[in-house]
Amino acid sequence: MEQWSNERLSRQIAFITEIDKLKTVLRHSYLMDGSRRENTAEHSWHVSVIAMALLEHAGDPAPDLNRVIKLLLLHDLVEIDAGDTFAYDDKGYADKEERENAAARRLFGILPDDQRDEWLALWREFEDGVTIESRYAAALDRLHPVIHNYYTGGVSWKKNGIVRAQVIRRLDPLRTVSEPLWHFALDMLERAVALGLLLDDEAAE
Amino acid sequence: MEQWSNERLSRQIAFITEIDKLKTVLRHSYLMDGSRRENTAEHSWHVSVIAMALLEHAGDPAPDLNRVIKLLLLHDLVEIDAGDTFAYDDKGYADKEERENAAARRLFGILPDDQRDEWLALWREFEDGVTIESRYAAALDRLHPVIHNYYTGGVSWKKNGIVRAQVIRRLDPLRTVSEPLWHFALDMLERAVALGLLLDDEAAE
């Protein structure tokens, strides 16, 4: 670790440079112009802005948007070590928690101790999904790739043979978070099936 | 614009899909692993996290971090229409304001009217640079590419024949925002010159 004027700043700069790697972690979603796969850093930006844009649909009491954004900016940093686990990869999910816990300890451990504790707590809050902020954040994190898939002609759904019931299961956190957004998502999936972007459930039987 | 359950949501979804284009706007900075140029969406994410990490250096009174992050998440959206203007491109700066104003009106105009007004105001706050939040945000926005350049062996500085005095002029907003970060930046530039990553001022004379 390169030393700067003091130990705290040296750790903060080391953390800032380390997390640059999130820009090289590729997700299964494509950019909406279909040109390439999305990376996790730009996803984190996008879903944070989405949280700002859709807050009014988040129910009553409204989540604290500022906290939501912090959760979303940090929630995927662990993918630097643990990689992106595809939403429909049951095998990948088996040891996801363990891999991501180790990643969180290493990455946030670069920061000064008080920041490490604070940021680890934010990351755990997102993972635990108990607070209304983490539930709204996680629901949007699930909705985001659905919008991408819809507007890229279902490229990732088709490639992986995904059927509507799988997407609906995956979206379940949205159901209790926001009635309007849940209905919007079901409507989008209905249109996706009608347009041939997503397999209907019967196709899988 | 595709119509969903109501006009507000249709506009919000149209905005969310439109801003995906920020992921295709390339900056002059490179990823720290040198593999490719950074895009503006991932920059917006990174500088938002940097604002969280370095807040303690922002002086007294401390800026409202939540507002800072909102400014940073939105400040570069206009580049979707106006493109990224290289920091040292005097010609590009001549009509930058005009191009970006038109872009802001078009992009935020996709949102419902009340959100359009609110988000346009946030964008203008960043541009005007009067509040302590916008001054801290803008200073970090200037510092971010310096850190990238330093850790990529000065690739963008070298390519464009940039000298230290130009970088220092560009970083000037940092000077009054944070003494520790200003000294850190000067220290980093001193090391960059010593390492041959950045031309010393005399080289340009």
Side-chain angles (χ1 to χ4, degrees):
Chain A
M1 192 172 72
E2 188 162 3
Q3 293 304 311
W4 299 100
S5 55
N6 63 60
E7 181 66 16
R8 282 188 73 83
L9 188 60
S10 301
R11 286 176 169 270
Q12 289 159 342
I13 298 299
F15 178 80
I16 286 167
T17 58
E18 179 66 20
I19 66 172
D20 197 62
K21 293 176 183 165
L22 197 63
K23 300 168 189 170
T24 66
V25 176
L26 294 185
R27 291 163 54 84
H28 284 76
S29 303
Y30 283 74
L31 297 200
M32 293 197 193
D33 67 4
S35 59
R36 61 167 173 81
R37 281 166 65 187
E38 188 186 32
N39 71 59
T40 305
E42 56 199 8
H43 156 71
S44 298
W45 164 77
H46 204 172
V47 72
S48 298
V49 180
I50 291 172
M52 288 177 68
L54 300 180
L55 183 70
E56 69 191 63
H57 308 292
D60 186 28
D64 171 357
L65 178 63
N66 300 316
R67 194 162 187 88
V68 169
I69 293 175
K70 283 181 190 168
L71 296 175
L72 285 171
L73 288 173
L74 302 183
H75 77 293
D76 271 338
L77 275 174
V78 293
E79 293 186 3
I80 288 173
D81 286 355
D84 176 55
T85 306
F86 186 44
Y88 306 100
D89 173 8
D90 294 337
K91 219 169 109 191
Y93 265 76
D95 64 341
K96 182 173 182 279
E97 191 177 330
E98 196 184 317
R99 282 182 289 123
E100 294 193 345
N101 268 314
R105 282 193 303 271
R106 184 188 77 78
L107 280 161
F108 295 121
I110 300 172
L111 288 165
D113 293 356
D114 55 319
Q115 281 186 316
R116 175 200 61 203
D117 294 345
E118 190 192 335
W119 293 34
L120 260 176
L122 285 168
W123 177 75
R124 291 223 172 90
E125 179 178 341
F126 182 91
E127 290 299 307
D128 292 344
V130 172
T131 61
I132 57 170
E133 284 75 21
S134 61
R135 292 175 60 231
Y136 175 59
L140 294 182
D141 193 45
R142 302 281 174 101
L143 180 62
H144 184 214
V146 172
I147 300 174
H148 269 258
N149 254 308
Y150 181 79
Y151 283 110
T152 51
V155 52
S156 178
W157 286 330
K158 285 176 180 171
K159 209 166 125 179
N160 298 283
I162 304 301
V163 303
R164 171 159 51 176
Q166 286 174 286
V167 184
I168 290 180
R169 263 200 305 279
R170 177 84 189 153
L171 273 175
D172 194 63
L174 187 59
R175 191 170 44 81
T176 50
V177 159
S178 167
E179 204 184 302
L181 293 181
W182 173 246
H183 286 293
F184 158 73
L186 292 182
D187 188 9
M188 185 169 254
L189 295 180
E190 183 70 33
R191 296 188 199 185
V193 168
L195 290 164
L197 313 182
L198 175 65
L199 291 172
D200 204 355
D201 310 326
E202 290 144 31
E205 283 161 18
Chain B
M1 191 171 70
E2 189 161 2
Q3 293 303 311
W4 299 99
S5 55
N6 64 60
E7 180 66 16
R8 282 188 73 82
L9 188 60
S10 299
R11 286 175 169 271
Q12 288 158 344
I13 298 299
F15 178 80
I16 286 167
T17 59
E18 178 66 21
I19 67 172
D20 197 61
K21 294 176 182 165
L22 197 63
K23 300 168 189 169
T24 66
V25 176
L26 294 184
R27 291 164 53 84
H28 284 77
S29 303
Y30 283 74
L31 296 200
M32 293 197 193
D33 67 3
S35 59
R36 61 167 173 83
R37 280 166 66 187
E38 189 187 30
N39 71 60
T40 305
E42 57 199 6
H43 155 72
S44 299
W45 164 77
H46 203 171
V47 72
S48 298
V49 181
I50 291 172
M52 288 178 69
L54 300 180
L55 182 69
E56 69 191 61
H57 307 292
D60 188 24
D64 172 357
L65 177 62
N66 300 315
R67 194 163 187 88
V68 169
I69 292 175
K70 284 182 190 167
L71 297 176
L72 286 170
L73 287 173
L74 302 183
H75 77 291
D76 271 338
L77 275 174
V78 293
E79 293 186 3
I80 288 173
D81 287 355
D84 177 56
T85 305
F86 186 44
Y88 305 101
D89 172 9
D90 294 337
K91 220 168 111 189
Y93 266 77
D95 64 341
K96 182 173 182 281
E97 192 177 331
E98 195 182 320
R99 282 183 289 123
E100 295 194 344
N101 268 315
R105 281 193 302 272
R106 184 187 77 78
L107 280 161
F108 295 121
I110 300 172
L111 288 165
D113 293 356
D114 56 320
Q115 280 185 315
R116 174 200 62 203
D117 294 344
E118 190 193 333
W119 293 35
L120 259 176
L122 285 168
W123 177 74
R124 291 223 172 91
E125 178 179 341
F126 182 91
E127 290 299 307
D128 292 344
V130 173
T131 62
I132 56 170
E133 284 75 20
S134 62
R135 291 175 60 230
Y136 175 59
L140 294 183
D141 193 45
R142 302 281 172 103
L143 180 62
H144 184 213
V146 171
I147 300 174
H148 269 259
N149 253 309
Y150 181 78
Y151 282 110
T152 52
V155 53
S156 177
W157 286 330
K158 285 177 181 170
K159 209 166 126 178
N160 298 284
I162 304 301
V163 304
R164 171 158 52 177
Q166 286 174 285
V167 184
I168 290 179
R169 261 200 306 279
R170 177 84 188 151
L171 272 175
D172 195 64
L174 187 59
R175 193 171 42 82
T176 49
V177 159
S178 167
E179 203 184 303
L181 293 181
W182 172 246
H183 285 294
F184 158 72
L186 293 181
D187 188 9
M188 186 168 253
L189 294 180
E190 182 70 34
R191 295 189 199 185
V193 168
L195 290 164
L197 313 181
L198 175 66
L199 291 172
D200 205 355
D201 311 325
E202 290 143 30
E205 282 161 18

